Amino acid sequence: MGLLSPALAGHVVAAAEPVIPNYGAQSSSCVVHNHLFCSDWVSHNWGPVMWPALRGHILLALVAVSIGFAISLALALVAYRYGWLERPTMIVTTIIYTIPSLALFELLVAPVGPNVYSAEIALVSYTLLILFSNILTGLRSVPDEVLDAAEGMGMSRRQSLLRVELPLALPAIIAGLRIAVVTIIALATIVYTIYNAGLGVPIHTALGEGPFKTELIVAGGLAILLALVADALLVLAQRLLTPWTRAHAT
Amino acid sequence: MHEFVEAFRFIAHNGAIAGEPGLPTLTHLSFETLKVSAIGVAISIVIAVPLGVWLGHLHRGSFVAINTGNIGRALPSLAVLAIGDAFLGLGLTVVEVALVVLAVPPIVTNAYLGVDGVERDLVDAARGMGMSGFQILRRVELPLSVGPLFTGIRTAAVFVVSTTTIASLAGFSGTLGDVIANETSYHFSGVLGAAICVAALALAVEGLLTLLQRALTPRGLRLGDHEHAARPPVEAAVASSTS
Amino acid sequence: MRGTRLSRFRTLIAGSSAALALVVGLAACGSSSSSSSSSATSATTSKPAVAASGPGVGKPAVTIGDKNFAEENILGALYAGALQAKGYNVTLKDNVGSSEIIHKALTSGQIDMYPEYTGVLLSAVAGQTKNPSSAEAAAQEAKAFLEKEAATLLNTTPFYDSNALATLPAYATQHSLASIADLKTLGTGVKLGGPPEFATRFEGLPGLVKEYGVKPTFVPIAIELSYKALESGQVSVQNVFSTDGQLLSGKFKVLTDPKHVFGYQNVAPVLKKSVLAAEGPAFEQTLNKVSSLLTLKAIQQMNAAVSIDKQSAASVAQQFLKANGLS
């Protein structure tokens, strides 16, 4: 106990009277009265609060979907080749799926810590079921005649895969990507419970302040907009990359 | 591993924690979760089924019907709750509004796809037999759409059950979300236990609705695989966790 | 096939460029208005300027975390700012998580220190179910618990942030209310509001019933709506926090809790002993100095500035430190 003298350690200290500055009233009456939308607050706080949250949110989602896609593609290709792998993979990913997201985040904190890794592991896990299932379905939907034709043309297995099967599986793959991207953007709003990133941060702050309507609407609105824009972009990509499916739009 | 054992012990004790005699039991919380979810799903069915069925019958508005389904999936539930909170304040109303907003799209989409997708030959045959539009709807299209219709309702119901847990983050108390969002008091074992309960509830709801669907499907269709809606089996599990 | 491959490609490029332009535009908006803010430019960590000289120069870098609510953000910013002014290399990690999460972050080494409430440490982390008998006992018991994790607690603040019951001054005068015990005579006629967990936890209503014999009618009110509910008359007495900024307005009166049902919640920095040793005595002295200045009024003013006036915790903390010669 060398550093702390026993008399002082842990005691409630007699207060030295502090100087309390006048913090002033820096916010407009709109904010103080909690009106629905205060544009002055938004322009002041876009840079320090909203944009970092939006940027962080986009990053979380992009990384999660990219990694999830890579893993799911690998798993799907293996399962395509060795059919018996499908069942166990589906079972594992479905189990992960039914765990409520909030719980999965919190459960990862114990071993991994309250950091970006826990957040990304959870988010990636949620993409696996969707992407694996869709990619595999897409690959399997290639008609046998087409496969035979490719083989007949002398294509190797790899050529057939790269030039025939995967392109034909694109509609299903992109459909899966749409669901995955939108799902992950939605889930990323809850990341704030274990890691200080994403649009959930301003939502949480606002909920604790009144609730602070302007911040709620802006943050919530951005999350919704982000999901809609991402979905629209993927629809665009789908239309462009797979023009032959336009007649059967889903 | 040890957390799992603790979680099951938590469930076995019905959610009791040593030293806190007044806590609501897991049974009570589960019941409340089901109640809130049931109200949301009921309202959504009342709104969405007639709308989707009507659009499908007229073969109109496919763009709207299908894309509301996608948009509905795109809405982060916490964001919807947050915005509802700003406009309506906290309470059961705003939670139900959020749940309805999130549940209506899949029901509309699947109702539309189901009725729209009934084989034209059958509809033509019915018209040829002299049936009116309404009779066709009631006696041909609806029975044949039970599959997709229930798919949409099941998806929505499972989704709603899990979303009520998110409502706790927005300050709404009384559901199993209270435990999951309150790790400070309940510790990891409690969170895991409640999560297992939510998953069990979601699966139970899905199971019940499947039974109901089977009961309502016309006997002639029961043997066939008549899923019109392009819904991979994935979506049930997807819906149960997209919250 | 509709359209040539080239025109489809062009459309794809056009669409992507539009999206890219949108993102760049948003970022530009972001960086231009962030320069006008004096506080953190990133949402996760902040590193204000570190003093070039002082006892902290050359000492190992230290990471301070705080929980995800305003008062903790203020405390984190206060401790970090004071240390940085003394030349310590401090990184502040805001919004690490709830009590158990942030404590695990400490024990696993992801953060080196965080501000903790003695009562919360005992109930949420140590798992104790009995209230300590005094503020000092709470601090001592917390320290004893932390010993097992090779950690310790520094001096506690004068202020405590525990549950409290507030009412309107007119109502208090009308019924001669000074302490919670005075509610007993009102029986079930008094409407008491609070978050639903208040009705079931021992540190809440059941404790009050047991210790004071009060029998109010409970009305569940979400914590953010506390003051609105009081002002509108929806409830007569409301569960609030003792350090809320709203309590400065004079519009509310806090009933005293002589039997300390609500426990003791003074704040102190929690940190590993190894960190304390490595950073030297000036580290501890600086932190203790900051803590000693945090009276109830001081923290209430800061809470008001952050929660009501929506200033950032970092800027409010800096103003306080400057005014007291600590920055």
Side-chain angles (χ1 to χ4, degrees), chain A residues 97 99 101 106 133 178 183 227, chain B residues 70 74 85 180 234 237 241-243:
Chain A
Y97 233 96
I99 304 176
S101 45
E106 290 179 6
S133 165
R178 276 177 72 188
T183 305
Chain B
N70 294 333
D85 198 345
I180 299 180
V234 159
S241 208
T242 45
S243 37

Side-chain angles (χ1 to χ4, degrees), chain C residues 164-167 172 177-180 182-183 237 253-258 262:
Chain C
L165 288 186
T167 184
L177 302 175
S179 92
I180 300 179
D182 299 333
L183 289 172
V237 178
K253 181 181 159 76
V254 174
L255 301 175
T256 62
D257 175 29
F262 292 133

Side-chain angles (χ1 to χ4, degrees), chain A:
Chain A
M1 290 275 275
L3 286 170
L4 303 169
S5 88
L8 282 177
H11 276 219
V12 180
V13 181
E17 276 313 309
V19 175
I20 300 180
N22 180 3
Y23 300 103
Q26 298 208 5
S27 291
S28 62
S29 82
C30 170
V31 168
V32 172
H33 287 105
N34 203 10
H35 291 149
L36 217 47
F37 186 81
C38 301
S39 46
D40 55 296
W41 184 91
V42 177
S43 53
H44 254 110
N45 288 277
W46 176 263
V49 175
M50 279 302 163
W51 170 241
L54 179 61
R55 192 180 57 206
H57 205 102
I58 296 175
L59 220 63
L60 279 171
L62 268 178
V63 170
V65 173
S66 311
I67 298 179
F69 182 72
I71 298 177
S72 303
L73 185 60
L75 284 173
L77 286 174
V78 173
Y80 186 46
R81 189 78 195 280
Y82 304 102
W84 55 266
L85 269 169
E86 184 192 350
R87 201 110 199 288
T89 318
M90 285 296 287
I91 291 177
V92 169
T93 46
T94 309
I95 290 178
I96 297 179
Y97 233 96
T98 33
I99 304 176
S101 45
L102 197 50
L104 184 59
F105 282 126
E106 290 179 6
L107 290 171
L108 280 170
V109 165
V112 181
N115 48 37
V116 68
Y117 302 109
S118 294
E120 288 294 359
I121 292 175
L123 290 175
V124 165
S125 309
Y126 286 118
T127 65
L128 293 178
L129 179 59
I130 310 166
L131 290 174
F132 173 77
S133 165
N134 274 56
I135 297 176
L136 195 57
T137 307
L139 285 171
R140 292 234 178 96
S141 69
V142 175
D144 287 333
E145 311 88 69
V146 176
L147 290 175
D148 290 340
E151 196 182 327
M153 279 166 60
M155 286 195 197
S156 69
R157 273 237 59 175
R158 176 202 277 188
Q159 283 175 321
S160 172
L161 197 62
L162 284 175
R163 293 167 63 178
V164 176
E165 293 161 76
L166 277 177
L168 284 178
L170 262 181
I173 295 179
I174 297 188
L177 269 174
R178 276 177 72 188
I179 303 178
V181 163
V182 154
T183 305
I184 292 308
I185 290 177
L187 281 178
T189 53
I190 309 178
V191 164
Y192 79 87
T193 50
I194 61 158
Y195 175 61
N196 192 27
L199 288 164
V201 174
I203 291 180
H204 171 75
T205 315
L207 281 172
E209 283 179 359
F212 183 24
K213 293 183 184 155
T214 301
E215 193 169 15
L216 267 183
I217 290 180
V218 173
L222 279 174
I224 294 177
L225 226 74
L226 185 62
L228 293 177
V229 165
D231 194 49
L233 281 175
L234 282 167
V235 170
L236 186 65
Q238 185 176 2
R239 294 265 165 89
L240 291 172
L241 292 171
T242 59
W244 63 87
T245 60
R246 264 188 222 167
H248 314 284
T250 311

